[in-house]
Amino acid sequence: MFESDDKPIGDASLKALSEKATELQELDNAMKLWEKELGKMKAQYRELSEITIPNMLSELGLSEITLKDGSKINTSTYYSARITEEKRDEAFTWLADNGFGDIVKNTVSVSFGREEDDSAKELVDELETSGHTTLQKKWVEPMTLKAFVREQVEKGADLPLETFNVYIGQKTRIIKK
């Protein structure tokens, strides 16, 4: 425990500290409870927004409905896609083989140890002389991938959905009057 020569620790200050620590613990517990409840509410919201209401509108043959208060409810299709580490090579190969390799970004970098500054400078100079910069990272921007998937699916193209971890769902939108 930290002790100060200037201020002796008394019972009153220890009691106040103890009360504040208890208050902190209570707030921590309450926040965890609220976060858990919020998680449940978000799951319920997702269920209503992405499954229940779109299915009900579809069964009724409707794309939109206006409520008594003038609010409109409609659904729209949304797309989600991502390239997992396990499917990375397969996805990049598919994109390249099917003429979409230009959406793959490719950056190259090189790391050197502490005593390799001269070697690093030599390589950088050599690459720059050849018109290159060094840093390698290969990826597709998430928004680019999402737009690409939407475009391909809507065109009816033969896209390997599993390779791109594609999820196509409906989302309910409430437009207030």
Side-chain angles (χ1 to χ4, degrees), residues 2-16:
F2 177 79
E3 292 187 36
S4 170
D5 294 332
D6 299 335
K7 286 186 174 180
I9 296 176
D11 288 343
S13 57
L14 285 175
K15 183 179 181 206

Side-chain angles (χ1 to χ4, degrees), residues 17-52:
L17 174 60
S18 178
E19 288 171 357
K20 291 301 175 188
T22 300
E23 184 180 344
L24 179 64
Q25 286 177 322
E26 289 170 356
L27 282 172
D28 185 56
N29 291 337
M31 288 188 317
K32 286 177 181 167
L33 181 64
W34 278 104
E35 287 170 354
K36 185 176 179 181
E37 289 303 312
L38 180 60
K40 289 178 187 175
M41 290 173 71
K42 284 181 176 184
Q44 186 178 7
Y45 180 90
R46 239 183 337 274
E47 176 79 21
L48 285 169
S49 174
E50 297 178 16
I51 298 169
T52 306

Side-chain angles (χ1 to χ4, degrees), residues 109-125:
S109 69
V110 180
S111 295
F112 289 88
R114 274 187 269 176
E115 303 297 321
E116 298 178 304
D117 288 347
D118 292 338
S119 297
K121 184 170 179 2
E122 272 181 44
L123 181 59
V124 168
D125 290 344

Side-chain angles (χ1 to χ4, degrees), residues 47-64:
E47 176 79 21
L48 285 169
S49 174
E50 297 178 16
I51 298 169
T52 306
I53 292 173
N55 287 346
M56 292 175 82
L57 283 172
S58 178
E59 287 172 10
L60 294 169
L62 300 172
S63 61
E64 181 176 278

